[in-house]
Amino acid sequence: MLQDYYNDLPRHKAVQGNHKRDPGNISARTVREVHKLLRPALDKAVIWGELPNNPTLSLQLPKEDKKIRDQWSEAEVITALNLCNDPQLRAAIAVQFAATTRSGELLGLTWDCVDISDPNHAVIRIEKSLERVKRQDVIDTGGRGIMLEFPPILGGKCNTTMRVLKVPKNSSSVRKVYLSQTAAALLMELKRAQDAEKEAFGDSYRDYNLVFCQLNGEPVEQNYLSKHFKKFLVAHNLRMVDFYSLRHSGATAKLRGTRNLKAVQGDMGHASPEMLTKIYAAIVDEDRVHNADVIESAVLSLVQAKK
């Protein structure tokens, strides 16, 4: 029955999300996510004596076509930062790349979680994320995990979703990330520009202490940031990538520069290095080539050739 269920799911239309584009049919990835829920649930049923064995263990899952996310090289990141004149977008590009944050984590960052008093040892703490969630879900869970609910936009339509600051899904996502000197300097520049905006708006400024926000202090949502970023790319004839890919570019640069999988894993907020080894397999292979070079120079190069 479960195998038939898995086989039948891709024949059905996926639920329409927040995007306007046609979602198409249920993907292989979604089927695998369903499996990830059912398998541990039925493990519990076996432990409790409700089932003799777990029927999901022998199921065949559909193959998922892995799409490699297009990302910028380090040189392209430098070019973009040199061309950008918007203090907020410039700082957002630098921090997303240098701190390898998720977009929601970046937009949920508040100034009390930023320490740039010493640019040589600047640090940010990732403790929350800006998300748009279903209002009914917040009601059903009693607001669990919600740190702040933003008031609805004045004059906006009453809808079923709301903007919130919420705790990250996983404990590994709560982390401290050290910033480069340039990223710290750009945040300091942004803070000065933001203070000037506060003074200009006066009492009408909505101060939520957000690092990245609209001119009046209101939060910036991910779709707005993405569109603003793409307009910048078009205006300067830069190669089109999505804003989130800067996180991947930063991870690639860190792996190449440090060859330290665990350190990069910590910056990314992953629970294990498995995700890194899957996505950045080519970089990991470079590290393994380096291992061969180390063995050669440190040990085997001293072996005398036989005549």
Side-chain angles (χ1 to χ4, degrees):
M1 182 190 71
L2 283 174
Q3 186 66 68
D4 289 342
Y5 171 59
Y6 283 5
N7 294 342
D8 184 59
L9 277 176
R11 302 189 181 102
H12 295 271
K13 195 79 171 176
V15 174
Q16 181 71 49
N18 294 329
H19 301 290
K20 293 181 180 179
R21 66 176 181 270
D22 183 358
N25 283 6
I26 293 172
S27 66
R29 179 180 180 180
T30 299
V31 177
R32 287 176 171 271
E33 291 298 320
V34 170
H35 180 73
K36 283 166 64 175
L37 288 173
L38 285 179
R39 180 173 174 173
L42 295 179
D43 274 341
K44 287 289 187 183
V46 173
I47 292 172
W48 295 336
E50 300 294 334
L51 288 175
N53 53 63
N54 188 337
T56 63
L57 298 180
S58 59
L59 297 182
Q60 295 293 317
L61 299 178
K63 291 184 178 180
E64 182 181 353
D65 293 331
K66 292 289 185 180
K67 293 183 179 180
I68 300 175
R69 184 183 292 272
D70 198 13
Q71 63 185 51
W72 275 348
S73 65
E74 290 93 325
E76 288 174 301
V77 174
I78 294 169
T79 299
L81 288 171
N82 286 334
L83 289 171
C84 188
N85 295 319
D86 180 342
Q88 176 154 270
L89 182 59
R90 197 173 187 220
I93 292 171
V95 175
Q96 181 89 338
F97 173 77
T100 53
T101 56
R102 301 175 178 92
S103 299
E105 295 170 345
L106 179 81
L107 298 176
L109 187 64
T110 50
W111 286 112
D112 58 300
C113 291
V114 177
D115 184 359
I116 49 178
S117 55
D118 181 0
N120 295 322
H121 298 89
V123 67
I124 61 174
R125 299 191 310 278
I126 307 299
E127 298 177 352
K128 47 193 171 294
S129 179
L130 176 71
E131 307 286 346
R132 181 170 283 276
V133 298
K134 292 181 179 179
R135 193 178 299 274
Q136 190 58 49
D137 287 347
V138 175
I139 295 172
D140 291 345
T141 60
R144 186 174 66 250
I146 304 298
M147 303 175 72
L148 174 66
E149 297 179 14
F150 294 100
I153 301 172
L154 293 176
K157 296 180 180 179
C158 181
N159 52 45
T160 58
T161 62
M162 59 192 301
R163 303 167 301 167
V164 299
L165 284 181
K166 59 184 298 188
V167 297
K169 293 180 181 179
N170 305 310
S171 59
S172 57
S173 295
V174 178
R175 61 198 187 279
K176 179 170 64 174
V177 184
Y178 293 93
L179 286 182
S180 69
Q181 294 181 23
T182 298
L186 291 176
L187 281 178
M188 293 176 71
E189 179 184 329
L190 174 62
K191 186 70 168 69
R192 288 192 292 269
Q194 196 176 100
D195 288 341
E197 290 161 4
K198 285 183 183 180
E199 187 175 349
F201 274 86
D203 294 339
S204 61
Y205 189 86
R206 308 291 294 270
D207 194 355
Y208 299 109
N209 205 30
L210 292 168
V211 174
F212 299 98
C213 58
Q214 299 180 44
L215 291 176
N216 64 351
E218 287 281 352
V220 174
E221 294 192 67
Q222 295 181 39
N223 59 351
Y224 175 84
L225 177 62
S226 178
K227 290 177 182 178
H228 188 42
F229 179 65
K230 287 183 178 180
K231 286 181 180 178
F232 165 72
L233 301 188
V234 171
H236 294 279
N237 197 30
L238 297 174
R239 186 162 65 92
M240 191 63 65
V241 296
D242 57 51
F243 185 82
Y244 186 86
S245 71
L246 293 172
R247 169 174 159 91
H248 288 247
S249 296
T252 299
K254 288 179 180 180
L255 281 171
R256 282 181 175 151
T258 67
R259 302 183 184 276
N260 190 326
L261 198 64
K262 290 298 290 182
V264 179
Q265 172 201 333
D267 278 1
M268 297 284 283
H270 289 153
S272 73
E274 181 182 1
M275 183 69 73
L276 280 174
T277 56
K278 283 183 178 179
I279 297 177
Y280 307 101
I283 308 302
V284 174
D285 282 346
E286 285 182 8
D287 210 15
R288 295 170 70 183
V289 170
H290 176 68
N291 289 342
D293 293 339
V294 169
I295 289 295
E296 175 62 24
S297 61
V299 182
L300 298 183
S301 64
L302 302 177
V303 176
Q304 297 177 353
K306 295 291 186 179
K307 294 182 180 180

mmCIF file with all atom_site columns, all heavy atoms in Angstrom, residues 145-169:
data_model
loop_
_atom_site.group_PDB
_atom_site.id
_atom_site.type_symbol
_atom_site.label_atom_id
_atom_site.label_alt_id
_atom_site.label_comp_id
_atom_site.label_asym_id
_atom_site.label_entity_id
_atom_site.label_seq_id
_atom_site.pdbx_PDB_ins_code
_atom_site.Cartn_x
_atom_site.Cartn_y
_atom_site.Cartn_z
_atom_site.occupancy
_atom_site.B_iso_or_equiv
_atom_site.pdbx_formal_charge
_atom_site.auth_seq_id
_atom_site.auth_comp_id
_atom_site.auth_asym_id
_atom_site.auth_atom_id
_atom_site.pdbx_PDB_model_num
ATOM 1   N N   . GLY A 1 145 ? 7.869  29.181 19.300 1.00 0.00 ? 145 GLY A N   1
ATOM 2   C CA  . GLY A 1 145 ? 9.001  29.494 18.450 1.00 0.00 ? 145 GLY A CA  1
ATOM 3   C C   . GLY A 1 145 ? 8.982  30.897 17.874 1.00 0.00 ? 145 GLY A C   1
ATOM 4   O O   . GLY A 1 145 ? 9.955  31.320 17.252 1.00 0.00 ? 145 GLY A O   1
ATOM 5   N N   . ILE A 1 146 ? 7.898  31.628 18.082 1.00 0.00 ? 146 ILE A N   1
ATOM 6   C CA  . ILE A 1 146 ? 7.789  32.985 17.548 1.00 0.00 ? 146 ILE A CA  1
ATOM 7   C C   . ILE A 1 146 ? 8.354  33.971 18.572 1.00 0.00 ? 146 ILE A C   1
ATOM 8   O O   . ILE A 1 146 ? 7.919  34.011 19.721 1.00 0.00 ? 146 ILE A O   1
ATOM 9   C CB  . ILE A 1 146 ? 6.326  33.351 17.226 1.00 0.00 ? 146 ILE A CB  1
ATOM 10  C CG1 . ILE A 1 146 ? 5.720  32.329 16.254 1.00 0.00 ? 146 ILE A CG1 1
ATOM 11  C CG2 . ILE A 1 146 ? 6.251  34.766 16.654 1.00 0.00 ? 146 ILE A CG2 1
ATOM 12  C CD1 . ILE A 1 146 ? 6.402  32.254 14.920 1.00 0.00 ? 146 ILE A CD1 1
ATOM 13  N N   . MET A 1 147 ? 9.321  34.765 18.147 1.00 0.00 ? 147 MET A N   1
ATOM 14  C CA  . MET A 1 147 ? 9.950  35.744 19.028 1.00 0.00 ? 147 MET A CA  1
ATOM 15  C C   . MET A 1 147 ? 9.310  37.120 18.889 1.00 0.00 ? 147 MET A C   1
ATOM 16  O O   . MET A 1 147 ? 9.295  37.909 19.832 1.00 0.00 ? 147 MET A O   1
ATOM 17  C CB  . MET A 1 147 ? 11.449 35.827 18.725 1.00 0.00 ? 147 MET A CB  1
ATOM 18  C CG  . MET A 1 147 ? 12.160 34.498 18.856 1.00 0.00 ? 147 MET A CG  1
ATOM 19  S SD  . MET A 1 147 ? 13.908 34.568 18.369 1.00 0.00 ? 147 MET A SD  1
ATOM 20  C CE  . MET A 1 147 ? 14.600 35.487 19.753 1.00 0.00 ? 147 MET A CE  1
ATOM 21  N N   . LEU A 1 148 ? 8.802  37.425 17.690 1.00 0.00 ? 148 LEU A N   1
ATOM 22  C CA  . LEU A 1 148 ? 8.181  38.731 17.452 1.00 0.00 ? 148 LEU A CA  1
ATOM 23  C C   . LEU A 1 148 ? 7.219  38.611 16.286 1.00 0.00 ? 148 LEU A C   1
ATOM 24  O O   . LEU A 1 148 ? 7.553  38.039 15.256 1.00 0.00 ? 148 LEU A O   1
ATOM 25  C CB  . LEU A 1 148 ? 9.249  39.784 17.138 1.00 0.00 ? 148 LEU A CB  1
ATOM 26  C CG  . LEU A 1 148 ? 8.752  41.177 16.719 1.00 0.00 ? 148 LEU A CG  1
ATOM 27  C CD1 . LEU A 1 148 ? 8.020  41.859 17.872 1.00 0.00 ? 148 LEU A CD1 1
ATOM 28  C CD2 . LEU A 1 148 ? 9.905  42.050 16.233 1.00 0.00 ? 148 LEU A CD2 1
ATOM 29  N N   . GLU A 1 149 ? 6.015  39.159 16.455 1.00 0.00 ? 149 GLU A N   1
ATOM 30  C CA  . GLU A 1 149 ? 5.042  39.242 15.373 1.00 0.00 ? 149 GLU A CA  1
ATOM 31  C C   . GLU A 1 149 ? 5.000  40.690 14.889 1.00 0.00 ? 149 GLU A C   1
ATOM 32  O O   . GLU A 1 149 ? 4.740  41.596 15.674 1.00 0.00 ? 149 GLU A O   1
ATOM 33  C CB  . GLU A 1 149 ? 3.655  38.811 15.849 1.00 0.00 ? 149 GLU A CB  1
ATOM 34  C CG  . GLU A 1 149 ? 3.566  37.368 16.296 1.00 0.00 ? 149 GLU A CG  1
ATOM 35  C CD  . GLU A 1 149 ? 2.164  37.003 16.782 1.00 0.00 ? 149 GLU A CD  1
ATOM 36  O OE1 . GLU A 1 149 ? 1.212  37.794 16.515 1.00 0.00 ? 149 GLU A OE1 1
ATOM 37  O OE2 . GLU A 1 149 ? 2.012  35.958 17.431 1.00 0.00 ? 149 GLU A OE2 1
ATOM 38  N N   . PHE A 1 150 ? 5.269  40.901 13.611 1.00 0.00 ? 150 PHE A N   1
ATOM 39  C CA  . PHE A 1 150 ? 5.205  42.249 13.062 1.00 0.00 ? 150 PHE A CA  1
ATOM 40  C C   . PHE A 1 150 ? 3.752  42.611 12.773 1.00 0.00 ? 150 PHE A C   1
ATOM 41  O O   . PHE A 1 150 ? 2.993  41.760 12.285 1.00 0.00 ? 150 PHE A O   1
ATOM 42  C CB  . PHE A 1 150 ? 6.029  42.350 11.777 1.00 0.00 ? 150 PHE A CB  1
ATOM 43  C CG  . PHE A 1 150 ? 7.503  42.178 11.993 1.00 0.00 ? 150 PHE A CG  1
ATOM 44  C CD1 . PHE A 1 150 ? 8.130  40.974 11.732 1.00 0.00 ? 150 PHE A CD1 1
ATOM 45  C CD2 . PHE A 1 150 ? 8.273  43.238 12.457 1.00 0.00 ? 150 PHE A CD2 1
ATOM 46  C CE1 . PHE A 1 150 ? 9.489  40.806 11.923 1.00 0.00 ? 150 PHE A CE1 1
ATOM 47  C CE2 . PHE A 1 150 ? 9.644  43.087 12.659 1.00 0.00 ? 150 PHE A CE2 1
ATOM 48  C CZ  . PHE A 1 150 ? 10.241 41.865 12.394 1.00 0.00 ? 150 PHE A CZ  1
ATOM 49  N N   . PRO A 1 151 ? 3.351  43.828 13.051 1.00 0.00 ? 151 PRO A N   1
ATOM 50  C CA  . PRO A 1 151 ? 1.974  44.236 12.746 1.00 0.00 ? 151 PRO A CA  1
ATOM 51  C C   . PRO A 1 151 ? 1.744  44.216 11.247 1.00 0.00 ? 151 PRO A C   1
ATOM 52  O O   . PRO A 1 151 ? 2.684  44.387 10.463 1.00 0.00 ? 151 PRO A O   1
ATOM 53  C CB  . PRO A 1 151 ? 1.890  45.654 13.313 1.00 0.00 ? 151 PRO A CB  1
ATOM 54  C CG  . PRO A 1 151 ? 3.299  46.125 13.410 1.00 0.00 ? 151 PRO A CG  1
ATOM 55  C CD  . PRO A 1 151 ? 4.130  44.925 13.669 1.00 0.00 ? 151 PRO A CD  1
ATOM 56  N N   . PRO A 1 152 ? 0.483  43.994 10.819 1.00 0.00 ? 152 PRO A N   1
ATOM 57  C CA  . PRO A 1 152 ? 0.197  43.985 9.385  1.00 0.00 ? 152 PRO A CA  1
ATOM 58  C C   . PRO A 1 152 ? 0.500  45.339 8.753  1.00 0.00 ? 152 PRO A C   1
ATOM 59  O O   . PRO A 1 152 ? 0.469  46.374 9.419  1.00 0.00 ? 152 PRO A O   1
ATOM 60  C CB  . PRO A 1 152 ? -1.292 43.646 9.320  1.00 0.00 ? 152 PRO A CB  1
ATOM 61  C CG  . PRO A 1 152 ? -1.828 44.010 10.664 1.00 0.00 ? 152 PRO A CG  1
ATOM 62  C CD  . PRO A 1 152 ? -0.717 43.778 11.634 1.00 0.00 ? 152 PRO A CD  1
ATOM 63  N N   . ILE A 1 153 ? 0.810  45.324 7.472  1.00 0.00 ? 153 ILE A N   1
ATOM 64  C CA  . ILE A 1 153 ? 1.116  46.550 6.755  1.00 0.00 ? 153 ILE A CA  1
ATOM 65  C C   . ILE A 1 153 ? -0.130 47.416 6.658  1.00 0.00 ? 153 ILE A C   1
ATOM 66  O O   . ILE A 1 153 ? -1.205 46.938 6.269  1.00 0.00 ? 153 ILE A O   1
ATOM 67  C CB  . ILE A 1 153 ? 1.662  46.222 5.352  1.00 0.00 ? 153 ILE A CB  1
ATOM 68  C CG1 . ILE A 1 153 ? 2.922  45.366 5.463  1.00 0.00 ? 153 ILE A CG1 1
ATOM 69  C CG2 . ILE A 1 153 ? 1.950  47.489 4.557  1.00 0.00 ? 153 ILE A CG2 1
ATOM 70  C CD1 . ILE A 1 153 ? 3.414  44.832 4.141  1.00 0.00 ? 153 ILE A CD1 1
ATOM 71  N N   . LEU A 1 154 ? 0.001  48.683 7.015  1.00 0.00 ? 154 LEU A N   1
ATOM 72  C CA  . LEU A 1 154 ? -1.136 49.599 6.964  1.00 0.00 ? 154 LEU A CA  1
ATOM 73  C C   . LEU A 1 154 ? -1.638 49.722 5.534  1.00 0.00 ? 154 LEU A C   1
ATOM 74  O O   . LEU A 1 154 ? -0.870 49.953 4.595  1.00 0.00 ? 154 LEU A O   1
ATOM 75  C CB  . LEU A 1 154 ? -0.730 50.975 7.494  1.00 0.00 ? 154 LEU A CB  1
ATOM 76  C CG  . LEU A 1 154 ? -0.377 51.057 8.987  1.00 0.00 ? 154 LEU A CG  1
ATOM 77  C CD1 . LEU A 1 154 ? 0.104  52.458 9.352  1.00 0.00 ? 154 LEU A CD1 1
ATOM 78  C CD2 . LEU A 1 154 ? -1.572 50.664 9.834  1.00 0.00 ? 154 LEU A CD2 1
ATOM 79  N N   . GLY A 1 155 ? -2.935 49.551 5.381  1.00 0.00 ? 155 GLY A N   1
ATOM 80  C CA  . GLY A 1 155 ? -3.527 49.653 4.048  1.00 0.00 ? 155 GLY A CA  1
ATOM 81  C C   . GLY A 1 155 ? -3.406 48.384 3.243  1.00 0.00 ? 155 GLY A C   1
ATOM 82  O O   . GLY A 1 155 ? -3.951 48.291 2.135  1.00 0.00 ? 155 GLY A O   1
ATOM 83  N N   . GLY A 1 156 ? -2.713 47.393 3.781  1.00 0.00 ? 156 GLY A N   1
ATOM 84  C CA  . GLY A 1 156 ? -2.553 46.138 3.053  1.00 0.00 ? 156 GLY A CA  1
ATOM 85  C C   . GLY A 1 156 ? -3.779 45.258 3.191  1.00 0.00 ? 156 GLY A C   1
ATOM 86  O O   . GLY A 1 156 ? -4.638 45.462 4.052  1.00 0.00 ? 156 GLY A O   1
ATOM 87  N N   . LYS A 1 157 ? -3.875 44.292 2.307  1.00 0.00 ? 157 LYS A N   1
ATOM 88  C CA  . LYS A 1 157 ? -5.012 43.387 2.352  1.00 0.00 ? 157 LYS A CA  1
ATOM 89  C C   . LYS A 1 157 ? -4.873 42.415 3.527  1.00 0.00 ? 157 LYS A C   1
ATOM 90  O O   . LYS A 1 157 ? -3.792 41.998 3.884  1.00 0.00 ? 157 LYS A O   1
ATOM 91  C CB  . LYS A 1 157 ? -5.093 42.595 1.038  1.00 0.00 ? 157 LYS A CB  1
ATOM 92  C CG  . LYS A 1 157 ? -5.367 43.475 -0.185 1.00 0.00 ? 157 LYS A CG  1
ATOM 93  C CD  . LYS A 1 157 ? -5.437 42.620 -1.432 1.00 0.00 ? 157 LYS A CD  1
ATOM 94  C CE  . LYS A 1 157 ? -5.702 43.495 -2.664 1.00 0.00 ? 157 LYS A CE  1
ATOM 95  N NZ  . LYS A 1 157 ? -5.752 42.682 -3.896 1.00 0.00 ? 157 LYS A NZ  1
ATOM 96  N N   . CYS A 1 158 ? -6.012 42.106 4.124  1.00 0.00 ? 158 CYS A N   1
ATOM 97  C CA  . CYS A 1 158 ? -6.014 41.120 5.209  1.00 0.00 ? 158 CYS A CA  1
ATOM 98  C C   . CYS A 1 158 ? -5.783 39.746 4.578  1.00 0.00 ? 158 CYS A C   1
ATOM 99  O O   . CYS A 1 158 ? -6.541 39.314 3.718  1.00 0.00 ? 158 CYS A O   1
ATOM 100 C CB  . CYS A 1 158 ? -7.343 41.158 5.953  1.00 0.00 ? 158 CYS A CB  1
ATOM 101 S SG  . CYS A 1 158 ? -7.430 39.993 7.319  1.00 0.00 ? 158 CYS A SG  1
ATOM 102 N N   . ASN A 1 159 ? -4.708 39.078 4.954  1.00 0.00 ? 159 ASN A N   1
ATOM 103 C CA  . ASN A 1 159 ? -4.411 37.786 4.347  1.00 0.00 ? 159 ASN A CA  1
ATOM 104 C C   . ASN A 1 159 ? -4.191 36.736 5.410  1.00 0.00 ? 159 ASN A C   1
ATOM 105 O O   . ASN A 1 159 ? -4.322 36.993 6.609  1.00 0.00 ? 159 ASN A O   1
ATOM 106 C CB  . ASN A 1 159 ? -3.197 37.897 3.416  1.00 0.00 ? 159 ASN A CB  1
ATOM 107 C CG  . ASN A 1 159 ? -2.009 38.552 4.112  1.00 0.00 ? 159 ASN A CG  1
ATOM 108 O OD1 . ASN A 1 159 ? -1.697 38.214 5.253  1.00 0.00 ? 159 ASN A OD1 1
ATOM 109 N ND2 . ASN A 1 159 ? -1.354 39.480 3.441  1.00 0.00 ? 159 ASN A ND2 1
ATOM 110 N N   . THR A 1 160 ? -3.852 35.560 4.958  1.00 0.00 ? 160 THR A N   1
ATOM 111 C CA  . THR A 1 160 ? -3.738 34.422 5.872  1.00 0.00 ? 160 THR A CA  1
ATOM 112 C C   . THR A 1 160 ? -2.321 34.225 6.395  1.00 0.00 ? 160 THR A C   1
ATOM 113 O O   . THR A 1 160 ? -2.073 33.278 7.127  1.00 0.00 ? 160 THR A O   1
ATOM 114 C CB  . THR A 1 160 ? -4.178 33.136 5.155  1.00 0.00 ? 160 THR A CB  1
ATOM 115 O OG1 . THR A 1 160 ? -3.357 32.949 3.994  1.00 0.00 ? 160 THR A OG1 1
ATOM 116 C CG2 . THR A 1 160 ? -5.641 33.231 4.723  1.00 0.00 ? 160 THR A CG2 1
ATOM 117 N N   . THR A 1 161 ? -1.393 35.112 6.012  1.00 0.00 ? 161 THR A N   1
ATOM 118 C CA  . THR A 1 161 ? -0.011 34.971 6.470  1.00 0.00 ? 161 THR A CA  1
ATOM 119 C C   . THR A 1 161 ? 0.416  36.191 7.274  1.00 0.00 ? 161 THR A C   1
ATOM 120 O O   . THR A 1 161 ? -0.239 37.231 7.251  1.00 0.00 ? 161 THR A O   1
ATOM 121 C CB  . THR A 1 161 ? 0.956  34.791 5.286  1.00 0.00 ? 161 THR A CB  1
ATOM 122 O OG1 . THR A 1 161 ? 0.918  35.958 4.458  1.00 0.00 ? 161 THR A OG1 1
ATOM 123 C CG2 . THR A 1 161 ? 0.585  33.571 4.472  1.00 0.00 ? 161 THR A CG2 1
ATOM 124 N N   . MET A 1 162 ? 1.541  36.054 7.968  1.00 0.00 ? 162 MET A N   1
ATOM 125 C CA  . MET A 1 162 ? 2.064  37.145 8.776  1.00 0.00 ? 162 MET A CA  1
ATOM 126 C C   . MET A 1 162 ? 3.587  37.079 8.818  1.00 0.00 ? 162 MET A C   1
ATOM 127 O O   . MET A 1 162 ? 4.186  36.022 8.621  1.00 0.00 ? 162 MET A O   1
ATOM 128 C CB  . MET A 1 162 ? 1.486  37.082 10.200 1.00 0.00 ? 162 MET A CB  1
ATOM 129 C CG  . MET A 1 162 ? 1.791  35.792 10.933 1.00 0.00 ? 162 MET A CG  1
ATOM 130 S SD  . MET A 1 162 ? 0.826  35.584 12.450 1.00 0.00 ? 162 MET A SD  1
ATOM 131 C CE  . MET A 1 162 ? 1.315  37.022 13.382 1.00 0.00 ? 162 MET A CE  1
ATOM 132 N N   . ARG A 1 163 ? 4.209  38.236 9.058  1.00 0.00 ? 163 ARG A N   1
ATOM 133 C CA  . ARG A 1 163 ? 5.673  38.323 9.154  1.00 0.00 ? 163 ARG A CA  1
ATOM 134 C C   . ARG A 1 163 ? 6.078  38.155 10.612 1.00 0.00 ? 163 ARG A C   1
ATOM 135 O O   . ARG A 1 163 ? 5.505  38.790 11.499 1.00 0.00 ? 163 ARG A O   1
ATOM 136 C CB  . ARG A 1 163 ? 6.157  39.673 8.637  1.00 0.00 ? 163 ARG A CB  1
ATOM 137 C CG  . ARG A 1 163 ? 5.754  39.993 7.210  1.00 0.00 ? 163 ARG A CG  1
ATOM 138 C CD  . ARG A 1 163 ? 5.998  41.451 6.882  1.00 0.00 ? 163 ARG A CD  1
ATOM 139 N NE  . ARG A 1 163 ? 5.241  42.337 7.772  1.00 0.00 ? 163 ARG A NE  1
ATOM 140 C CZ  . ARG A 1 163 ? 5.448  43.645 7.879  1.00 0.00 ? 163 ARG A CZ  1
ATOM 141 N NH1 . ARG A 1 163 ? 6.393  44.228 7.181  1.00 0.00 ? 163 ARG A NH1 1
ATOM 142 N NH2 . ARG A 1 163 ? 4.717  44.374 8.704  1.00 0.00 ? 163 ARG A NH2 1
ATOM 143 N N   . VAL A 1 164 ? 7.074  37.299 10.850 1.00 0.00 ? 164 VAL A N   1
ATOM 144 C CA  . VAL A 1 164 ? 7.499  37.031 12.229 1.00 0.00 ? 164 VAL A CA  1
ATOM 145 C C   . VAL A 1 164 ? 9.017  36.882 12.285 1.00 0.00 ? 164 VAL A C   1
ATOM 146 O O   . VAL A 1 164 ? 9.669  36.593 11.280 1.00 0.00 ? 164 VAL A O   1
ATOM 147 C CB  . VAL A 1 164 ? 6.848  35.749 12.796 1.00 0.00 ? 164 VAL A CB  1
ATOM 148 C CG1 . VAL A 1 164 ? 5.337  35.850 12.824 1.00 0.00 ? 164 VAL A CG1 1
ATOM 149 C CG2 . VAL A 1 164 ? 7.293  34.515 12.004 1.00 0.00 ? 164 VAL A CG2 1
ATOM 150 N N   . LEU A 1 165 ? 9.540  37.077 13.480 1.00 0.00 ? 165 LEU A N   1
ATOM 151 C CA  . LEU A 1 165 ? 10.894 36.635 13.806 1.00 0.00 ? 165 LEU A CA  1
ATOM 152 C C   . LEU A 1 165 ? 10.732 35.363 14.611 1.00 0.00 ? 165 LEU A C   1
ATOM 153 O O   . LEU A 1 165 ? 10.032 35.351 15.625 1.00 0.00 ? 165 LEU A O   1
ATOM 154 C CB  . LEU A 1 165 ? 11.644 37.688 14.623 1.00 0.00 ? 165 LEU A CB  1
ATOM 155 C CG  . LEU A 1 165 ? 12.186 38.918 13.899 1.00 0.00 ? 165 LEU A CG  1
ATOM 156 C CD1 . LEU A 1 165 ? 12.920 39.822 14.873 1.00 0.00 ? 165 LEU A CD1 1
ATOM 157 C CD2 . LEU A 1 165 ? 13.107 38.521 12.760 1.00 0.00 ? 165 LEU A CD2 1
ATOM 158 N N   . LYS A 1 166 ? 11.360 34.287 14.166 1.00 0.00 ? 166 LYS A N   1
ATOM 159 C CA  . LYS A 1 166 ? 11.195 33.009 14.865 1.00 0.00 ? 166 LYS A CA  1
ATOM 160 C C   . LYS A 1 166 ? 12.549 32.365 15.103 1.00 0.00 ? 166 LYS A C   1
ATOM 161 O O   . LYS A 1 166 ? 13.543 32.679 14.432 1.00 0.00 ? 166 LYS A O   1
ATOM 162 C CB  . LYS A 1 166 ? 10.294 32.074 14.054 1.00 0.00 ? 166 LYS A CB  1
ATOM 163 C CG  . LYS A 1 166 ? 10.799 31.768 12.661 1.00 0.00 ? 166 LYS A CG  1
ATOM 164 C CD  . LYS A 1 166 ? 9.826  30.904 11.864 1.00 0.00 ? 166 LYS A CD  1
ATOM 165 C CE  . LYS A 1 166 ? 9.607  29.559 12.492 1.00 0.00 ? 166 LYS A CE  1
ATOM 166 N NZ  . LYS A 1 166 ? 8.815  28.655 11.633 1.00 0.00 ? 166 LYS A NZ  1
ATOM 167 N N   . VAL A 1 167 ? 12.579 31.480 16.065 1.00 0.00 ? 167 VAL A N   1
ATOM 168 C CA  . VAL A 1 167 ? 13.819 30.755 16.360 1.00 0.00 ? 167 VAL A CA  1
ATOM 169 C C   . VAL A 1 167 ? 14.098 29.800 15.212 1.00 0.00 ? 167 VAL A C   1
ATOM 170 O O   . VAL A 1 167 ? 13.173 29.315 14.550 1.00 0.00 ? 167 VAL A O   1
ATOM 171 C CB  . VAL A 1 167 ? 13.714 29.974 17.694 1.00 0.00 ? 167 VAL A CB  1
ATOM 172 C CG1 . VAL A 1 167 ? 13.515 30.918 18.857 1.00 0.00 ? 167 VAL A CG1 1
ATOM 173 C CG2 . VAL A 1 167 ? 12.575 28.961 17.632 1.00 0.00 ? 167 VAL A CG2 1
ATOM 174 N N   . PRO A 1 168 ? 15.372 29.519 14.915 1.00 0.00 ? 168 PRO A N   1
ATOM 175 C CA  . PRO A 1 168 ? 15.692 28.565 13.842 1.00 0.00 ? 168 PRO A CA  1
ATOM 176 C C   . PRO A 1 168 ? 15.118 27.187 14.128 1.00 0.00 ? 168 PRO A C   1
ATOM 177 O O   . PRO A 1 168 ? 14.853 26.828 15.279 1.00 0.00 ? 168 PRO A O   1
ATOM 178 C CB  . PRO A 1 168 ? 17.222 28.538 13.848 1.00 0.00 ? 168 PRO A CB  1
ATOM 179 C CG  . PRO A 1 168 ? 17.621 29.847 14.448 1.00 0.00 ? 168 PRO A CG  1
ATOM 180 C CD  . PRO A 1 168 ? 16.575 30.145 15.481 1.00 0.00 ? 168 PRO A CD  1
ATOM 181 N N   . LYS A 1 169 ? 14.935 26.408 13.063 1.00 0.00 ? 169 LYS A N   1
ATOM 182 C CA  . LYS A 1 169 ? 14.337 25.081 13.192 1.00 0.00 ? 169 LYS A CA  1
ATOM 183 C C   . LYS A 1 169 ? 15.216 24.131 14.006 1.00 0.00 ? 169 LYS A C   1
ATOM 184 O O   . LYS A 1 169 ? 14.732 23.326 14.798 1.00 0.00 ? 169 LYS A O   1
ATOM 185 C CB  . LYS A 1 169 ? 14.088 24.479 11.808 1.00 0.00 ? 169 LYS A CB  1
ATOM 186 C CG  . LYS A 1 169 ? 13.024 25.205 11.007 1.00 0.00 ? 169 LYS A CG  1
ATOM 187 C CD  . LYS A 1 169 ? 12.849 24.550 9.643  1.00 0.00 ? 169 LYS A CD  1
ATOM 188 C CE  . LYS A 1 169 ? 11.794 25.275 8.818  1.00 0.00 ? 169 LYS A CE  1
ATOM 189 N NZ  . LYS A 1 169 ? 11.620 24.664 7.476  1.00 0.00 ? 169 LYS A NZ  1
#
